Amino acid sequence: MTRGLPQEFSIALPAWVAEETAGVPTHLRSADDRMALVHRLAARNFREGGGGPFAAIVVERDSGRLVSVGVNVVLSGGISVGHAEVTALGLAQRALGAWDLGGAGMPAHELVVNWRPCIQCYGATLWSGVRSLVVAGDGPELERLTGFDEGPMVPDWAEQFERRGITVTRDVRRDDALRTFADYGALVAEHGATVYNARGGGD
Ligand SMILES: [Zn+2]
């Protein structure tokens, strides 16, 4: 007997992402190249209306092979956990058939994001198995420019990553991140674009 309770949920990328990534090389060698792609996706994502100005990619750390991309799909997916990091990590894990991206015999994987993860994605990144995290920046600018709430992050978040074998690299194309956040903030001011969960949550 079924009670008709929901049985499944999924997170899918918006259709435009395939178009935007069509010409991207299979390997992104430098941190700069990796972050440039993240910024391009983030800048387009909020204009397409799918979610906030956030994107992430998973690459093989050493070879630069692009494994997956993610954008914030909270609005298009109708799901609060649909942040860019969760989307990119989940797609990478499904593609590789491994919940642990740092499992035995696997190359080291890297998550590249256009700001320090929020409190949800902090946990998601810790449990993902990635060996390195690259962020365009961290600090109060994101919340100030966009109005998003990153949650009660621990002040020693980077140290906690390092302690678990995840190296942290900051300040890669930081100015580009701030420009995208400022553009988003201007759009919100002008058109009243949705900053979802106004009760104080979630990038
Ligand atoms: Zn997040």
Side-chain angles (χ1 to χ4, degrees), residues 83 85 118 121 203:
H83 292 189
E85 297 93 321
C118 76
C121 298
D203 68 345

Side-chain angles (χ1 to χ4, degrees), residues 72 81-86 116-122 150 202-203:
N72 181 298
V81 298
H83 292 189
E85 297 93 321
V86 168
R116 183 214 69 193
C118 76
I119 187 152
Q120 169 191 275
C121 298
Y122 176 48
E150 297 298 285
D203 68 345

Side-chain angles (χ1 to χ4, degrees), residues 143-157:
E143 292 186 330
R144 183 166 52 75
L145 291 168
T146 66
F148 285 111
D149 181 354
E150 297 298 285
M153 273 297 281
V154 294
D156 63 341
W157 61 274

Side-chain angles (χ1 to χ4, degrees), residues 46-188:
F46 73 90
R47 293 190 172 89
E48 296 280 354
F54 305 106
I57 64 173
V58 173
V59 295
E60 287 180 11
R61 184 192 62 195
D62 300 333
S63 74
R65 187 178 82 84
L66 180 61
V67 178
S68 68
V69 307
V71 293
N72 181 298
V73 294
V74 169
L75 296 177
S76 61
I79 189 159
S80 67
V81 298
H83 292 189
E85 297 93 321
V86 168
T87 304
L89 289 168
L91 288 169
Q93 290 165 340
R94 276 298 172 86
L96 298 170
W99 58 267
D100 181 1
L101 296 174
M106 299 187 77
H109 286 95
E110 176 171 282
L111 178 67
V112 186
V113 200
N114 62 326
W115 208 248
R116 183 214 69 193
C118 76
I119 187 152
Q120 169 191 275
C121 298
Y122 176 48
T125 303
L126 281 177
W127 309 143
S128 69
V130 295
R131 299 298 177 88
S132 73
L133 170 68
V134 178
V135 298
D138 64 311
E141 293 91 337
L142 163 60
E143 292 186 330
R144 183 166 52 75
L145 291 168
T146 66
F148 285 111
D149 181 354
E150 297 298 285
M153 273 297 281
V154 294
D156 63 341
W157 61 274
E159 222 179 291
Q160 294 292 337
F161 276 131
E162 298 274 355
R163 198 177 296 173
R164 289 165 175 80
I166 302 168
T167 61
V168 176
T169 305
R170 313 187 210 200
D171 298 336
V172 178
R173 300 184 78 118
R174 192 175 199 275
D175 290 348
D176 292 346
L178 295 178
R179 194 168 313 119
T180 296
F181 297 153
D183 288 349
Y184 175 81
L187 192 77
V188 171

